[in-house]
Amino acid sequence: MTSDASLTTPLNAALAAFFASRPMARIGVAVSGGGDSMALMCGLIDLAKLHGMTVCVATVDHGLRASAKVEAAMVASTAAAHGVAHTTLEWEGWTGDGNLLSEARNARYGLLADWARDSALDAVAIGHTSDDVAETFMMRLARGAGLSGLAAMSDDWRENDTRFLRPVLTLSRDMLRGYLTEIGQGWVDDPTNDDVTYDRVRMRNALPDFAEHGLTATRLADVARQLAEANTALAAVALAFAKQHCTEQVGDVLIDRTAFDETPDDIKRRILNTALCYVASAHYVPRGTGMTDLMRAIAGGQGHTLHGCQITQAKGVIRIAREYNAVRDMVGANGVWDTRWTFSVEIPATYHIRALGVDGLTQIENWRDCGVPRRTLIASPSIWDNDRLIAAPHAQFGNNFGIGMVKTDHSFIGSMITH
């Protein structure tokens, strides 16, 4: 795969610089078989030989294309030829509900995170390039995204309690394919990359037209990186605000209304977006006019619903809570409910977990004594034996069964830092 000459390519130089400040003993790499990820894998194997790093490879098979298994086998064969362990991660959770791309993305990172923990990896590397940055920038610009959306994707972040890296974010797709050609390594092009029903493919096809007017992929990626720097600065301001003016109660986020009113709109949106995603366990912020409508409602002292959350105002406090309608039909499994709450004490198999609801609240005589609003309580987790309420931890009723966040170190402030 490699030669002495290949160790001095732009890819090898970029990887050496990237990991100089990120020493790793065991690094995972997600490889689909496409040119970007294959180049990343080969470059990391080169780097590992020089620095004694262990490389592990995983391919996610979403089960959506028959050819995916052939591509995974090709990656496995290439990895084996260089003494690198390979694992195929299969997604079997697609039910046909929701947005396919969003669901597939969430599943992919979830599978990779589980694999990373099981394999004791320091991080997982992803093969996104500067072309991906440019395409994403244009897609989000077309959707009317703000600064956070237009900022370049991060090259180092945590998700699902796992560290992910994008070491080749400054390199172009053509450069990586040139590297593979130089070392004699093949790759497989995903046919969906030519499917114009996808926004990304249409934007990719349109970029050459923009380039004629100076808006090259490189220029767009540079702009996105500059916006990322500005975004980081504003994120620090939002975090400082959250630490001083935001608190939590049983998973709800409470914001001081007076301080909120005195804050610039950009910081308000950041606080609200993060609170909504935190309370609803959502990966993406609301799109469209949802945030504009919410900001207007708050300014008018009104309540609102958005992103599976209920926003209310009382006694100078803005409260972001889970919306009952978003969870009323949700039943817990394996001691986890709403992907957010978990119970450390074993729950009898005959019991089930669901939202407390009004019917549950009527079974708690002194629920007002717990100091938690009714709207929050009816959307909170509770344990039942048929129609009999066994426990409602947030209402301080019955055994709390060791209730806590699924992520033990999770908090709203922690979520601000992650974002």
Side-chain angles (χ1 to χ4, degrees), residues 62-330:
H62 296 91
L64 302 174
R65 295 183 295 107
S67 59
K69 294 189 182 300
V70 177
E71 294 159 8
M74 183 273 289
V75 176
S77 176
T78 304
H82 301 283
V84 172
H86 175 272
T87 303
T88 297
L89 307 173
E90 297 184 349
W91 180 36
E92 300 175 345
W94 175 238
T95 63
D97 297 326
N99 180 280
L100 174 58
L101 292 181
S102 176
E103 293 294 326
R105 191 264 181 206
N106 293 341
R108 180 165 61 254
Y109 280 92
L111 288 168
L112 289 170
D114 291 341
W115 168 68
R117 285 190 291 271
D118 293 342
S119 304
L121 302 177
D122 295 316
V124 177
I126 309 293
H128 290 141
T129 68
S130 61
D131 295 86
D132 292 300
V133 175
E135 292 159 9
T136 301
F137 177 85
M138 294 303 293
M139 287 166 58
R140 292 178 176 174
L141 184 64
R143 294 172 185 161
L147 177 58
S148 295
L150 296 176
M153 56 184 72
S154 175
D155 63 359
D156 190 339
W157 82 103
R158 293 194 68 84
E159 187 169 335
N160 296 319
D161 290 332
T162 300
R163 188 179 185 183
F164 288 93
L165 306 172
R166 293 185 176 107
V168 294
L169 211 52
T170 60
L171 304 179
S172 72
R173 192 172 290 135
D174 286 344
M175 196 288 299
L176 294 182
R177 281 158 175 71
Y179 166 85
L180 291 175
T181 300
E182 179 182 343
I183 65 174
Q185 175 63 57
W187 67 90
V188 179
D189 287 318
D190 185 338
T192 59
N193 289 333
D194 297 319
D195 187 346
V196 294
T197 61
Y198 292 105
D199 289 344
R200 182 173 294 278
V201 176
R202 292 197 298 272
M203 197 59 69
R204 183 176 300 164
N205 292 341
L207 279 175
D209 295 330
F210 293 124
E212 293 181 4
H213 303 283
L215 294 175
T216 63
T218 299
R219 178 63 57 82
L220 292 171
D222 286 342
V223 171
R225 279 188 281 272
Q226 292 174 30
L227 293 178
E229 293 178 2
N231 187 55
T232 298
L234 289 173
V237 176
L239 176 60
F241 176 93
K243 288 180 176 179
Q244 186 173 0
H245 301 295
C246 297
T247 56
E248 286 188 57
Q249 184 186 37
V250 296
D252 291 358
V253 176
L254 282 62
I255 308 169
D256 181 276
R257 171 63 196 267
T258 300
F260 187 81
D261 286 345
E262 297 172 352
T263 300
D265 283 353
D266 183 272
I267 305 304
K268 290 179 180 177
R269 281 189 289 268
R270 289 168 187 271
I271 295 295
L272 292 174
N273 274 328
T274 307
L276 292 168
C277 289
Y278 173 68
V279 172
S281 295
H283 292 283
Y284 298 101
V285 301
R287 290 182 178 178
T289 60
M291 181 54 64
T292 301
D293 293 341
L294 174 57
M295 296 269 284
R296 186 179 296 117
I298 291 175
Q302 301 172 334
H304 200 69
T305 56
L306 180 64
H307 220 45
C309 296
Q310 181 77 48
I311 300 90
T312 57
Q313 301 186 65
K315 299 179 180 179
V317 173
I318 302 166
R319 178 183 288 264
I320 315 292
R322 198 68 163 114
E323 181 188 5
Y324 174 67
N325 285 339
V327 296
R328 63 181 179 182
D329 298 322
M330 193 178 295

